[in-house]
Structures are given as C-alpha cells and as structure tokens.
Amino acid sequence: MQCVDLVYKNNMMNTKQDLLKMFSKAFAGLPSESQIEDMSIPKEYLDFEGFRLTESPVEKLKILFLGDFCGLGSERIKLSPKYEWMFHESDKVVINLKAPISIYDEDDSISAKSFLDFCDQIIPEKVFFNLCSEYFKSLDEDLLKETLGIIESVGATSCGAMVGRDKKLSNGLFLSVGKGVCHVKGTKSSLASFGNNLQRMAPIQINNKALDARSLGCFVSSTKSKRNGGLMAQIEFAKYEDWMIRKVIWEGLQQQTSRNGARLVV
C-alpha cells in the first residue's frame, strides 16, 4: 500500500512539474514591466521634425491615452493629483472601456455611481470612451443602451465598432477604431496606434515615424483583479502642412487602495 502511495505521489509531482514547465514556457516570452520600460522610447520623446525652429504650427493638440477601464463594481476611483492634472491639461483623453456601466453594483460592470464620481474629477467632455472589447458585441442590448446613455449623460463621447468607428479630433485629425486597435490619423497617414485586446503591457515605440503602443495595460480595475499596472501616453500633435507627432510623454500607472477604500491611481 505504501508503495502504491509513493508511486501516486511521484506521479502527482511529475504532473505538477510538467504543468509548471508548460506555464513557464508560455510566459517566458512576456516582457516584465522593467523590460517594457527599457524597450520603450525615452519617457520624454521629442520629434525634432515636429519642432521646426523657424515655423510655428498652425494648430497643436495634446491627447492623453490610457489603457483598460475594467469592471470594478461599486469601488470608487481616485486619481492622484499628478494624474488629475494630466487629465485637465490634455485637450482630449482616450480610454479603453472594458466593462459596461450600470446602475446595478455587479462585479463585472462599473457602477453608475462610481463612474459619475470618477467623472467629477475630470472634464468628461474631453473624453472618448472606446468600447473596444469583443464583449460589447454580445452584450445585452438594454445594458449596452444603458452604458451609452450614462456616457452621453456626462457629456463624454463613445466610439467603437457599435457606435461609429471614426471620430473627429480636430480638422484633419481623426480617431479611427478597428478590431483590436485604434489609430490617430492625419489626412495622409496613421500617426499613432494603440492596441486594446492584449492582456498585458507592451513597449511604446516609434515605427516609421508613427507611435506604436500595442497595449497600455490596465488603467483601473477592481481589488480582486491581478491586472493593476499600466501605462499612460500623452502625445502632442502639431499641424503644419499635415499633422505630425511633436512630443510624447509616458509614465507607468499603479493602483493602490486608499484609506477610504477607493482605487487610487498613482
């Protein structure tokens, strides 16, 4: 009997080790947060072509891009003073919405009370909520209408496959939403791309004079979620003959639980 137990335990250990090896291989290719920072452009990137010394731009526009706004039930959100300022000094803000907004306090949604409390800290008329998740395609129609209605009630804008793909940011500058990615486009080319279907962060890079951010990770989520890290990217676009990138600033985002139980974004 002891011999049988020993064989069983050895088999269980082998199975566990095999599983650990399998998962370690699966996650071996995922860059850590420090690697993402090392692989990204400098935290303050200047496009010297955009900084023309003898010519002022016709127009400038500063846009703040954030990752996933996930379901947090009735948990409140509190921005640190630094990021509250970033919201206010940006001309536009783009946030990936990854959960519906509802008057009911369900864990996989964002309660209307929490959402309205968050909007009190910002200027919602500046914000574009990108309904980027495939989840919204199969969402109950009444819940989708409720989500869109609450967003509209605060003066913010909805975008995504269900509500119109292209949104005008300024004359000749557009936010174009595709499957798994959104683009900022001038009249001739794409200037920046932001992925929204990855479950992790990715480096912020410049490819062919366009900013490439395949995933900014998580902006805010519930205390139960393991996804509590992300990136923010603020881009200053300048218009000469056409729009171009002038400056990029990015920072890491983390979440903490404040003394009153709110999700504090720092």
Side-chain angles (χ1 to χ4, degrees), residues 65 96 180-184 192-196 211 213-216 233 235:
F65 292 88
N96 288 336
V181 67
C182 67
H183 303 277
V184 178
S193 299
F194 296 87
N196 51 43
L211 186 135
R214 297 185 183 277
S215 176
L216 294 175
I235 305 180

Side-chain angles (χ1 to χ4, degrees), residues 228-244:
N228 64 355
L231 302 168
M232 73 88 189
Q234 186 189 61
I235 305 180
E236 184 180 304
F237 297 93
K239 184 178 183 181
Y240 294 94
E241 295 83 11
D242 195 7
W243 287 93
M244 63 177 57

Side-chain angles (χ1 to χ4, degrees), residues 49-201:
E49 186 180 349
F51 278 82
R52 300 188 185 186
L53 299 179
T54 59
E55 183 183 358
S56 298
V58 177
E59 187 180 351
K60 291 188 293 184
L61 194 70
K62 193 179 288 184
I63 306 178
L64 177 64
F65 292 88
L66 294 159
D68 298 340
F69 194 152
C70 300
L72 42 71
S74 59
E75 286 189 69
R76 291 177 57 246
I77 305 160
K78 177 63 179 173
L79 297 172
S80 68
K82 176 181 179 179
Y83 291 115
E84 191 171 350
W85 167 247
M86 292 291 287
F87 267 83
H88 281 273
E89 61 125 13
S90 299
D91 299 305
K92 305 286 183 183
V93 181
V94 180
I95 302 174
N96 288 336
L97 191 65
K98 279 290 182 86
I101 306 166
S102 174
I103 59 172
Y104 302 104
D105 297 344
E106 298 177 358
D107 290 342
D108 57 351
S109 67
I110 302 162
S111 78
K113 187 176 184 301
S114 295
F115 180 78
L116 295 175
D117 183 63
F118 166 68
C119 289
D120 283 342
Q121 302 171 62
I122 62 174
I123 303 173
E125 289 83 1
K126 293 182 176 183
V127 182
F128 291 80
F129 287 100
N130 176 19
L131 280 66
C132 55
S133 176
E134 292 293 316
Y135 172 77
F136 284 101
K137 290 185 177 180
S138 57
L139 189 67
D140 177 79
E141 187 176 349
D142 290 337
L143 187 51
L144 178 58
K145 287 180 179 178
E146 185 179 7
T147 299
L148 297 175
I150 294 171
I151 291 173
E152 183 180 351
S153 72
V154 298
T157 302
S158 303
C159 58
M162 295 75 63
V163 288
R165 294 179 178 275
D166 293 344
K167 297 292 182 181
K168 183 178 178 181
L169 297 168
S170 187
N171 289 330
L173 192 67
F174 301 91
L175 181 68
S176 178
V177 180
K179 185 177 181 181
V181 67
C182 67
H183 303 277
V184 178
K185 294 182 176 180
T187 55
K188 297 180 180 178
S189 61
S190 177
L191 302 175
S193 299
F194 296 87
N196 51 43
N197 277 348
L198 296 180
Q199 297 298 311
R200 61 187 186 276
M201 291 182 287

